[in-house]
Amino acid sequence: EVQLEESGGGLVQPGGSLRLTCVGAGFRFSDYWMSWVRQAPGKGLEWVANVKQDGSEKYYVDFVKGRFIISRDNAKNSLYLQMEYLRADDTAMFFCAGGRLGELSLWGQGTLVTVSP
Amino acid sequence: DIQMTQSPSTLSASVGDRVTISCRASQTISNWLAWYQQKPGKAPKLLIYKASTLESGVPSRFSGSGSGTEFTLTISCLQPDDFATYYCQQYNSYSEYTFGQGTKLEIK
């Protein structure tokens, strides 16, 4: 069965850090561009960052540049998002997603990040 | 930055109806457009990619069209399972993906 499973979310104070992990199974992880997409409560989808199959290219949306770092370990079928200097408006469900090109054909169920004092 | 604008934001329809959702890009994106369906509390599901290619396993009542800056998602005969929120997404460049704001399809 093809699946992506996120972990690492939780409650963190403003200014704090968190590391999200996504593990893939049932497909060739190293064939896929991988992304993080977030969704604030009651709001729409927002792309956060992506990383190329071999990790050689990484891109970020402007509002996380300098605060978030995306990485992957193909040997462990894993995708990561290191988040620093978290703010209240980073509160969201974070999904990992993958696609051979830019479409996102594989999705995890998400991990909730709550930034609050 | 490429902006994606969906319309309408909310759509009320009945089972059996044919509905169309529009998505406009602020600059040309060729056919690098995908459509997703999302139900409450669930992850999005890819329906269509490259503007008009149906993802494997997606019912044929879903179709997509358009290129450049104007795109549409059509559901030919609404089923009860289709009431959800729909998003378009551009991927003209790997350095920047953008989603539309979403269209909530409600039961009339």
Side-chain angles (χ1 to χ4, degrees):
Chain A
E1 180 188 3
V2 173
Q3 63 179 11
L4 291 168
E5 185 170 357
E6 303 93 336
S7 61
L11 175 64
V12 61
Q13 293 188 338
S17 303
L18 215 53
R19 189 193 198 209
L20 306 184
T21 298
C22 170
V23 179
F27 66 101
R28 194 176 176 93
F29 186 83
S30 58
D31 282 352
Y32 285 72
W33 274 85
M34 295 300 298
S35 287
W36 288 98
V37 175
R38 73 183 189 183
Q39 187 169 36
K43 302 298 184 182
L45 301 171
E46 198 169 43
W47 172 76
V48 173
N50 65 0
V51 56
K52 193 176 180 179
Q53 287 90 337
D54 63 359
S56 62
E57 295 180 35
K58 303 176 183 181
Y59 301 102
Y60 302 88
V61 69
D62 283 348
F63 56 77
V64 306
K65 286 178 181 176
R67 300 192 300 127
F68 292 8
I69 297 175
I70 190 171
S71 62
R72 67 189 295 162
D73 184 341
N74 288 339
K76 296 182 177 180
N77 290 339
S78 293
L79 175 72
Y80 307 101
L81 188 67
Q82 179 68 41
M83 303 187 293
E84 309 281 346
Y85 308 109
L86 283 161
R87 312 184 301 221
D89 60 2
D90 291 318
T91 292
M93 183 71 77
F94 281 74
F95 297 98
C96 75
R100 292 181 181 273
L101 298 176
E103 78 286 352
L104 301 171
S105 56
L106 305 176
W107 291 76
Q109 288 307 299
T111 187
L112 182 62
V113 172
T114 303
V115 184
S116 179
Chain B
D1 294 1
I2 300 175
Q3 310 300 320
M4 304 300 292
T5 303
Q6 283 182 238
S7 60
S9 296
T10 305
L11 181 57
S12 296
S14 302
V15 172
D17 284 353
R18 177 186 179 93
V19 298
T20 298
I21 298 170
S22 297
C23 181
R24 172 177 292 176
S26 60
Q27 61 190 76
T28 184
I29 57 170
S30 184
N31 64 346
W32 301 115
L33 185 102
W35 289 97
Y36 301 87
Q37 176 193 69
Q38 187 181 33
K39 297 181 179 180
K42 299 295 186 181
K45 173 187 174 183
L46 177 66
L47 299 175
I48 287 168
Y49 61 97
K50 286 179 72 176
S52 61
T53 303
L54 200 65
E55 173 73 344
S56 176
V58 174
S60 59
R61 62 181 179 272
F62 291 91
S63 63
S65 64
S67 66
T69 61
E70 301 284 343
F71 302 88
T72 58
L73 171 70
T74 299
I75 311 173
S76 61
C77 182
L78 273 175
Q79 299 301 301
D81 190 50
D82 299 338
F83 292 95
T85 300
Y86 293 84
Y87 295 92
C88 62
Q89 176 229 343
Q90 70 82 17
Y91 51 103
N92 185 63
S93 167
Y94 289 115
S95 65
E96 177 195 6
Y97 296 168
T98 319
F99 289 92
Q101 80 277 17
T103 295
K104 186 175 183 180
L105 179 54
E106 299 180 327
I107 300 175
K108 185 183 287 184

